[in-house]
Amino acid sequence: MKTRKIITALLAGVIAATATVSVSAATLTGESPDGSTEVTAKIEGAGPGEVSYIITIPDKVDFGTLSQPETDEDSYKYVGFNVVATELNNFSTRQAVSVHIKDSVSEDGQFYLTQKETETPFTISYDIFERVVDDTNRLEYTPMNESGTQGEYGYHLCTFTAGTEGTAQDVTLALNQKKLYGQDLNTIAGDYSGTMVFHSAITTFGG
């Protein structure tokens, strides 16, 4: 009975609306005392919705304080972070978000930290790996910046496809402190900074 009342109320609302926009009418007379009115309505189907996404990247990545090695040997320092597909809205199975990365000022495809507040700054390069890397496995992989496949927006870091919302891409930055060996610490001391630029774009497979 409750359902019936709800339906009746809805129909009454439609009838009232129809009466206000009607463009034709029937008449009831003594000879034709009865009549009928067709009640119509329309429900719009849910469209596919707007495709949108949110990819989360770190605000800052810090190597901390670097150390000058006592010998001319590899002395890597690592720092890791994640790039996360926070939201992927209304993606079809043929759509994905690709993420690229590059140094903001480098012209040789490498990534650098530059000494701040000095006229002749010292620079230190670092590598980027699209995985978790440390001293136990570093030699098994080639850093992205040595792959030689940098495009307009940098190196391809990862692709998030439909259904992968919430997943994370591991990224490791590796800086070889060997570059500090033999340097005058009084000259190269100070704060260093660099900027990684991320670019994201929707891609379509087979299209």
Side-chain angles (χ1 to χ4, degrees):
M1 183 62 69
K2 185 175 181 180
T3 301
R4 184 182 299 275
K5 289 181 179 178
I6 292 174
I7 293 175
T8 301
L10 289 173
L11 288 177
V14 172
I15 293 171
T18 303
T20 61
V21 298
S22 176
V23 295
S24 62
T27 57
L28 302 179
T29 66
E31 291 77 17
S32 301
D34 301 311
S36 61
T37 299
E38 179 185 10
V39 179
T40 63
K42 181 178 181 180
I43 298 177
E44 294 285 355
E50 181 179 358
V51 176
S52 63
Y53 63 86
I54 297 176
I55 304 299
T56 302
I57 60 176
D59 291 327
K60 182 179 181 180
V61 181
D62 187 5
F63 275 106
T65 302
L66 304 179
S67 300
Q68 185 182 52
E70 296 180 357
T71 61
D72 189 17
E73 297 179 356
D74 288 339
S75 176
Y76 277 88
K77 191 163 189 179
Y78 305 93
V79 60
F81 62 89
N82 295 127
V83 173
V84 183
T86 305
E87 290 185 18
L88 300 175
N89 299 313
N90 302 307
F91 274 63
S92 72
T93 56
R94 296 175 57 236
Q95 292 177 308
V97 177
S98 293
V99 181
H100 290 73
I101 185 172
K102 67 178 181 180
D103 188 275
S104 63
V105 296
S106 170
E107 296 181 356
D108 61 3
Q110 301 305 303
F111 294 81
Y112 294 98
L113 295 177
T114 301
Q115 188 179 14
K116 301 169 65 175
E117 300 178 358
T118 179
E119 293 182 1
T120 56
F122 183 71
T123 60
I124 313 168
S125 63
Y126 61 91
D127 296 325
I128 297 186
F129 295 85
E130 66 271 48
R131 55 178 46 85
V132 176
V133 169
D134 55 29
D135 282 338
T136 66
N137 66 351
R138 175 178 48 80
L139 295 179
E140 299 175 15
Y141 304 104
T142 301
M144 295 172 56
N145 47 291
E146 291 184 8
S147 67
T149 57
Q150 180 176 227
E152 178 183 0
Y153 300 110
Y155 300 96
H156 176 254
L157 176 64
C158 59
T159 296
F160 296 109
T161 58
T164 61
E165 182 173 291
T167 60
Q169 171 66 47
D170 292 315
V171 183
T172 303
L173 308 186
L175 188 153
N176 192 351
Q177 298 173 115
K178 175 182 177 180
K179 301 178 180 68
L180 307 181
Y181 176 77
Q183 298 291 333
D184 180 2
L185 286 180
N186 291 325
T187 301
I188 67 173
D191 294 325
Y192 287 71
S193 69
T195 302
M196 297 180 295
V197 176
F198 293 83
H199 175 80
S200 62
I202 296 176
T203 59
T204 301
F205 302 112

